[in-house]
Amino acid sequence: MVAVGTIIWLSSELMFFAALFASYFTIRAVSHDMWAANTSHLNVPFASVNTTILVLSSLTCQLGVFAAERGQVRRSGSVFAVNKWGLREWFILTYIMGAAFIGGQAKEYASLIHEGVTIPHDAYGTMFYLTTGFHGLHVTGGLIAFLFVLGRTYLAKRFTHEQAVSAIVVSYYWHFVDVVWIGLFATIYLVK
């Protein structure tokens, strides 16, 4: 039931982001010259690296889910024996990668603000910060969820099916956030 509820909730989130995409494309269609002038400030190589970090974090998250499904909450060997990592190690790595993505987004925001691309400056700034900012809030929510799952693994005396379900549900959310970012990245950085 938890997984079904999560999928239904993610469907509503999908509608939210669909509205943001629709707004972005509508305003872009009526302000073509503004878009051409402002997209030159975007650092596509930096955003590509940041995107790669987020997409790879989806892989590490799924490896954590596989560990949870086999009931392996912690590593069974050396920290350098990655093939023996458990849920905790994979989710900690995922958390670090997600936090690095948010840090990269903050760095990009600082650079764009320095270039004069701000929310009140024009419609481009408004749509850029709305779409990427709401996505960043969702990533932050995912990071908080990882902390809750990790905390439960440290507090529980034994790893249960419910904890595995929690890890799976958090992974659904994290994969959703990654897919949304791929769409945003393609729309904002690549589509000219």
Side-chain angles (χ1 to χ4, degrees):
M1 285 303 276
V2 174
V4 172
T6 302
I7 291 168
I8 291 170
W9 173 64
L10 289 177
S11 298
S12 71
E13 289 292 297
L14 183 61
M15 293 301 105
F16 172 77
F17 279 104
L20 286 176
F21 275 103
S23 300
Y24 183 90
F25 280 117
T26 301
I27 294 173
R28 180 178 176 162
V30 298
S31 309
H32 184 70
D33 294 338
M34 181 189 328
W35 248 254
N38 283 300
T39 55
S40 64
H41 298 293
L42 297 176
N43 187 343
V44 177
F46 179 80
S48 299
V49 170
N50 212 27
T51 298
T52 302
I53 290 169
L54 188 64
V55 170
L56 288 176
S57 76
S58 203
L59 172 68
T60 61
C61 177
Q62 191 58 43
L63 290 170
V65 167
F66 292 152
E69 287 174 340
R70 64 178 181 267
Q72 184 183 0
V73 71
R74 67 183 67 81
R75 63 186 162 85
S76 60
S78 166
V79 71
F80 299 109
V82 176
N83 60 334
K84 296 185 180 196
W85 278 13
L87 169 69
R88 285 181 190 157
E89 291 78 22
W90 287 117
F91 270 25
I92 288 170
L93 180 57
T94 304
Y95 180 89
I96 291 168
M97 294 170 84
F101 173 82
I102 292 295
Q105 199 172 28
K107 181 181 182 326
E108 182 179 33
Y109 282 6
S111 173
L112 288 171
I113 289 168
H114 180 73
E115 297 278 336
V117 179
T118 61
I119 290 175
H121 183 258
D122 57 22
Y124 176 84
T126 301
M127 289 314 303
F128 175 83
Y129 289 108
L130 273 176
T131 54
T132 61
F134 273 114
H135 178 267
L137 286 174
H138 281 77
V139 172
T140 303
L143 294 175
I144 292 167
F146 280 118
L147 290 177
F148 280 119
V149 170
L150 286 167
R152 285 181 70 188
T153 67
Y154 284 103
L155 293 174
K157 293 184 194 270
R158 66 183 189 84
F159 190 70
T160 64
H161 174 71
E162 288 77 22
Q163 288 174 322
V165 170
S166 295
I168 292 166
V169 167
V170 169
S171 78
Y172 290 168
Y173 179 77
W174 196 251
H175 297 320
F176 169 79
V177 167
D178 280 4
V179 169
V180 168
W181 180 253
I182 291 168
L184 283 173
F185 175 75
T187 301
I188 294 170
Y189 293 90
L190 302 180
V191 175
K192 298 296 180 194

